[in-house]
Structure formats: structure tokens, C-alpha cells
Amino acid sequence: MENGRKRVVITGMGAVTPLGDSIDAYWASLKKGESGIGTMTLADPADYPCKVAGEIPDFDPGKYINPREARRMARFSQTAVAAAALAIEDAELNLSAEDEERMGVVMGNGNGGFPDTEANARTLFNRGGMRISPFFIPMILPNMAAANVSRIFGLKGYTSTVITACAAGTQGIGEAAEAIRRGAADVVLGGGCEAGICQLGLGGFNVIKALSRSEVSPDKASRPFDANRDGFVPAEGAAILVMESLEHAMDRGANILAEVSGYGVSSDAFHAVQPDEDGAGAARAMRWAIENADMHPADIDYINAHGTSTPKNDMVETLAIKKVFGEGAYDVPISSTKSMIGHALGGAGALEAVACVKTIQDGIIHPTINYETADPDCDLDYVPNEARRAQVNTVLSNSFGFGGQNACIVLSKYA
């Protein structure tokens, strides 16, 4: 206990990303400033302004799941199960030695099985409703990522799904930590996943002008905080953290990677898709996460930004950081993982949390790539284009979703 509150630590991580399906490959590319964004292949973008995406290269669910099982899952569930398998292995967690009723899952997700919804809608209109796949409903529901992880690995305790758009992955981690703090579980796999690249989603996001229309090379399309940013790049991916109470982790001799110190959630209560223009909602989530960690803004060594590369979001996030940090905002380094992998919506915050843990471990802040032209509305230190060595003990990670739903977590070096 610390200040009467149960401590929650991270003991394993797994991720499947546009930069590979191992933590080492993902982190190595982030440090080098390498982009995982390329020409879109999972959907035909010919009729749309956005033609690029952050896709998982050569993703083979059969590496992680029985092929028969995999065929009955949507891709977002497949990525979640893959990330869970990798995280359990990384944590050296012997599931057979654990109380299955004290292990749980909390997953964040935004869209569920969007591509499968599109495919079965085509079947409905072209061949009739009785030709729809019998697996359609259990494939597409957003809760099926958590359900499949719990079923395949025998995790019979607390389970939940967070569906808060782009904030879901971060909120999944925060809610997993809260479940452990209140004694509902000893071990929770928490994170987020998304695999929704299809014409249905592509059309929907394009018509509201949320996506990049840039005609530069794909690796240059995501440019958070740059004056010439013009929208986010759609992406897919999943990441899961194995979280445990400190007591449980110590009892089993686990290798502790970092600590989940704080968590804050807020609502803009402002607009369906646009952020509150004065940054108040985002600022509340940041401030509450820092307060929940029993810290002050000056204790934060690095901010992993939401940093979507949309004109309004990056400006509002910058303003919100200034609201929370005051003049200290100019001293704290900030970077956007999305500059290299695009925006994986419900999976984004979890993918970014992995980067935050590695930042704490290695003392290296990955860059915001494609930062070439300064924007007077975005005038903070975004660690442009080159990684930076720094002593990082405490990280704030931001995620802000459509509907004005905001989630932030504070991760710290374990001591």
C-alpha cells in the first residue's frame, strides 16, 4: 500500500503494430524515427482522398491462435489475442499456477468488426440475409476482443470492455488498474485493439474530413503539430499490458517494468467529434491523472501526446498542456507515436503506453517525425525528428476520443 492505496505494476507487454509484432522491433523503429505507414492495402482507396494507412505487416493470426478459432474471429479480436499471448509470455506468467478467478481482462476498442460488418452488409444486399455468416454477430461485437482473450487463456475473473473511441486503449489500462486497486482481481490484462480499415470506415472518416489527404509519400502523411498537418492516418494494432498488484508480483518474483501511478477521465460535454476549443476537457483529464498519482505537473518528465495530426486536435492539446503545466509546459518534452504508426483509434492509447514504458526503461524519448514547419499555435517541445536521451521517471500519456471523452494515465519508474 502507498498512501493507503494498493500499488499496481506492469510485469509484461505484448503488441502487434504497423512496426512489427514484437516489443523489441516496435521500440527499435520508434527510436529510429521509422514510419510504419504505407499505401493502403486492406481496403481499395481509389475513390477516397486518403490512400495511406498504418497496417500490421504480414499479420498471421495462426502464429497465436488455432486456425479454426482464428477464422471465427474478426481481425480486431485476432490482434488482441496475439498481443495477449505475447504479453503473458513476456510476463513469464504461469497461468496454470494462478487462481483463474483472480485474473481478468479489460480491453478498449472503438469500432468492433467494421470490415466484417461491411462484408456481411454486402452479402445481405447481394445474396439475402440468410446467407450472412453464422459467426457474424459474435465476430463484430466490440466486447469480443476481451471475451476471446478471457476464453482462450482461461481468465475467469473481472472482465470489461471500454468503448470510448480514441480514448479506449488508455482507459482500458486505467480501468484494469482500478479493478486491481479495489481488490476485484490480482492480475488484469489491460489494453486496446483496433482493426477497422475498410471502405465503410474510410468513407465515413473521409466525409467528415478527419483523414489526411496529403499526396506526399505515405511515411510523410502523419505530421503531428506541424503547420502543414491535414488529418490523421488510419491504422490498426493492439497492445496489452499485464498488470498486477505489487504484492502479487513480488510473491511470484515477477520482473517489474513500471508502475501505473495515476488515471484520469473527463468529458468535454461539447461536440460530437470536435474537441472543446479551449482545451478544458483534456486539461481536466490530465490534471486528474496527475492528482490521482499524488503528484504535481512539475513531476512529469515526458508527455506522450494524443497528437493525431489533425489541425484542431493538436492545437487544442497544446493549449490544454499549457493550462495544466503553465510556463512549465515549455520545459517538458512531448512526442507523438502516431507520427510513425498512424492512429489506431481504440488501440492507440495502449500502443502508446508500451512506448511510454520503454521510454522509462531506456531513458530515450522517441521523436515526433515529419515536424518540418513550426505552427505558432503549437509552440512546445515536440522532440522533432530525432530521438533524445533523457532521465525519465514519470510519463503522462494522453488520449482524447470522439464525443469529447478523454483519458490519461501516469506511468512511473518502479522504486
Side-chain angles (χ1 to χ4, degrees), residues 88 91-95 98 103 187 189 242 244 248 252:
I88 291 167
E92 297 182 348
L93 185 63
N94 182 358
L95 298 178
E98 298 291 334
M103 295 188 293
V187 180
L189 276 60
V242 176
E244 307 181 43
H248 185 275
R252 73 177 189 91

Side-chain angles (χ1 to χ4, degrees), residues 146-377:
N148 283 317
V149 170
S150 64
R151 179 176 59 84
I152 287 172
F153 297 103
L155 313 178
K156 297 183 178 179
Y158 182 85
T159 184
S160 185
T161 299
V162 178
I163 310 172
T164 48
C166 315
T170 294
Q171 195 162 351
I173 292 168
E175 292 297 324
E178 290 299 304
I180 294 170
R181 290 195 205 288
R182 67 175 180 265
D186 299 320
V187 180
V188 181
L189 276 60
C193 61
E194 202 77 75
I197 298 173
C198 62
Q199 291 200 23
L200 181 63
L202 191 58
F205 282 118
N206 268 300
V207 296
I208 60 171
K209 300 181 179 179
L211 301 184
S212 174
R213 301 180 175 214
S214 174
E215 295 183 357
V216 299
S217 61
D219 61 321
K220 300 287 187 183
S222 183
R223 38 197 324 112
F225 305 106
D226 184 88
N228 295 315
R229 65 192 184 275
D230 72 336
F232 75 81
V233 171
E236 60 174 359
I240 285 181
L241 309 183
V242 176
M243 286 172 277
E244 307 181 43
S245 68
L246 177 59
E247 296 85 354
H248 185 275
M250 293 182 71
D251 284 347
R252 73 177 189 91
N255 177 36
I256 295 173
L257 308 178
E259 182 168 357
V260 183
S261 299
Y263 171 49
V265 174
S266 74
S267 177
D268 287 0
F270 173 72
H271 190 274
V273 295
Q274 297 288 355
D276 187 345
E277 294 181 0
D278 69 1
R284 280 193 297 275
M286 284 189 269
R287 187 173 67 250
W288 291 342
I290 294 168
E291 290 173 355
N292 184 249
D294 197 23
M295 295 180 185
H296 302 282
D299 296 318
I300 301 299
D301 298 315
Y302 162 64
I303 298 171
N304 187 286
H306 187 49
T308 59
S309 187
T310 58
K312 185 162 286 187
N313 175 86
D314 293 359
M315 178 190 69
V316 169
E317 183 171 13
T318 297
L319 181 60
I321 290 170
K322 292 177 181 178
K323 283 180 178 287
V324 174
F325 289 81
E327 285 301 311
Y330 292 91
D331 300 322
V332 60
I334 303 160
S335 65
S336 171
T337 309
K338 293 182 183 73
S339 66
M340 288 173 274
I341 64 171
H343 190 357
L345 305 178
L351 291 163
E352 290 154 9
V354 168
C356 291
V357 173
K358 296 303 292 183
T359 298
I360 291 168
Q361 289 184 313
D362 288 4
I364 297 174
I365 298 172
H366 76 63
T368 302
I369 68 168
N370 300 323
Y371 185 87
E372 298 169 349
T373 305
D375 180 346
D377 290 325

Side-chain angles (χ1 to χ4, degrees), residues 107-175:
M107 288 298 297
N109 179 251
N111 295 323
F114 236 33
D116 302 277
T117 298
E118 177 186 287
N120 280 274
R122 293 184 192 279
T123 298
L124 169 66
F125 295 125
N126 294 331
R127 301 172 62 196
M130 292 307 293
R131 302 304 296 269
I132 286 173
S133 167
F135 303 110
F136 169 59
I137 295 299
M139 287 176 78
I140 67 160
L141 298 175
N143 72 296
M144 292 309 293
N148 283 317
V149 170
S150 64
R151 179 176 59 84
I152 287 172
F153 297 103
L155 313 178
K156 297 183 178 179
Y158 182 85
T159 184
S160 185
T161 299
V162 178
I163 310 172
T164 48
C166 315
T170 294
Q171 195 162 351
I173 292 168
E175 292 297 324

